Amino acid sequence: MNGVGQQYKMQETILEVNLTSPIMPGAKTVFDMQFEAQVPLTVLRAGRDYPPTGVRYSMGQWYPKLCEYDYEGWHPTPYVIREYFGVWGDYEVNITIDKSYVLAASGYLENANEIGYGYETPGIKVNRPTGDKLTWHFLALDVHDFMWAADPHYKHLVRKTPGGTTINVFYNADQDLLKQRFDTMRPSVRTLYKNDFKTYVNSWDNQWNTIADAAITVYPFIEKNFGPYAYKQFSFIHGGNGAMEYPMATLLSVPSYTAAFHEWMHSWYQGVIGTNESEYAWMDEGFANYAEELLKRYYLQQTSVTTAAQNIGTASLRLKILDSVGFNIHEDAYESYFNIAKSGYEEPMTTHADHFNTNYAYQLAAYGKGEIFVEQLGYITGAAVRDKILLEYYRLWRFKHPNVNDFIRVAEKVSGMKLDWYREYWINTTKTINYGIDSLWVEDGKTRIRIKNLGEVPMPVDLQLRFKDGTKELHYVPMYLMFGQKQEEFPSIPRKVYEPWKWTHRTYIVETTRKITDITAIEIDPTLRLADVDRRDNVMK
């Protein structure tokens, strides 16, 4: 520290340093550290020679990283290959490696015209230094982590968004590895490639090109709905075990454009907003899941039916995603939530990421229930208002490490509603939502419908009536604790707004002047955005 040796103690993945002098507020301090490490065989985030990819080096979480210090104090979270919390900074990284290797990394390659391999300025002749090694000089500003990968057989694809952002794709194109895979395929699989190795190689190339092209296709949608990308380039890099996000880059073990969408959206919620993923994993993973589903739908709408069917894998799934009437594109998240809510394994979303009893509970809380949080927020505030909330949240909390209360306050200010109750019930507990239609009858010349709250979480209620003549009515009952109401979402359907439903009351009555014999169906939540754990009593025909 400032040239003076320090006493330190290693506690597994945490290095605790007892400073010889304190760092005062506003002071500048320089730390120097040397470390050695043997690169292991790939274990999720870092390592070498992972057989399914054949990539030589995938280097995430590979160096000593400063723990975050904020208003809560230090966050020395032991690393158990899950989530983490990082400090933003400027990274200057020099990597010296054999000349045959192609590197992909966070940041910008500062000596691109000396390196080449697709990084060079178009039209420039690359003049590599003599010797059998190259030193790659990367610079990454305002990032909280630095990842790199290297392989002699990386193929480098480059695309540009209309705004000038560079999209890089690096993938292993080792012909020997691809031939080995082709030769060991089951005959039924090999017939998909007409039993021809060249067809298989072309398919492999096309899948990675699809990721590059898909990123260009969806970027205008991302920018409009989630805010502009904060950096000048992003790299999709073949490697790792599964998929893992880092600022300005992601590792992908397979060429899946849907996984690419998810990992890229982490650049908004993990890379730039930077919540503490140990405590609020759902504010990153859940939000990225939510965005991924919207990107998939948009992408499929922009591509041809033939291409879409090939990319998505099955025509039935393609049709489901394209169907915007009576289908919630987040249905998979809802179904997963319903399963765990009834299983007894669910744990509150406030549980520390490392302390869940089961990975099943962690995955659902971080991904599925977090995704539902955003979609269901649109049910409460109205989808258009929810979209404004997401944009304002991104604008206000870039590079600031917000927590759940910070998000809720943005949502309250944009919507004009109180939403602390939503945080309390959905995030802090495992209580469930369960509304149902109780009965209907005629009284004083009006048709009356009683709805009931059988669950533990109070919610506003959309009740839709369908009539024999094809018309509809929407009956909207705000929930008392909201101290507000959502604006009309479907102008073509007449809507009646009621006094708020007090959360202490178990039933509520709505009424229509239409005859009871004219009604063909009554439905709670026709848009399927309410996470009602028992929808069997939501419809009466």
Side-chain angles (χ1 to χ4, degrees), residues 19 22-26 31 65-77 84-88 144 274 276 399-401:
L19 304 181
I23 305 172
M24 303 306 293
F31 288 100
K65 182 175 178 179
L66 191 67
C67 292
E68 175 71 31
Y69 180 85
D70 62 13
Y71 71 98
E72 293 181 329
W74 286 103
H75 292 271
T77 302
Y84 49 92
F85 194 24
V87 182
W88 278 294
H144 59 65
N276 182 351
F399 302 106
K400 293 179 182 177
H401 291 319

Side-chain angles (χ1 to χ4, degrees), residues 26-38:
K28 178 180 178 180
T29 300
V30 177
F31 288 100
D32 289 295
M33 178 188 292
Q34 291 184 347
F35 72 99
E36 288 187 357
Q38 177 175 334

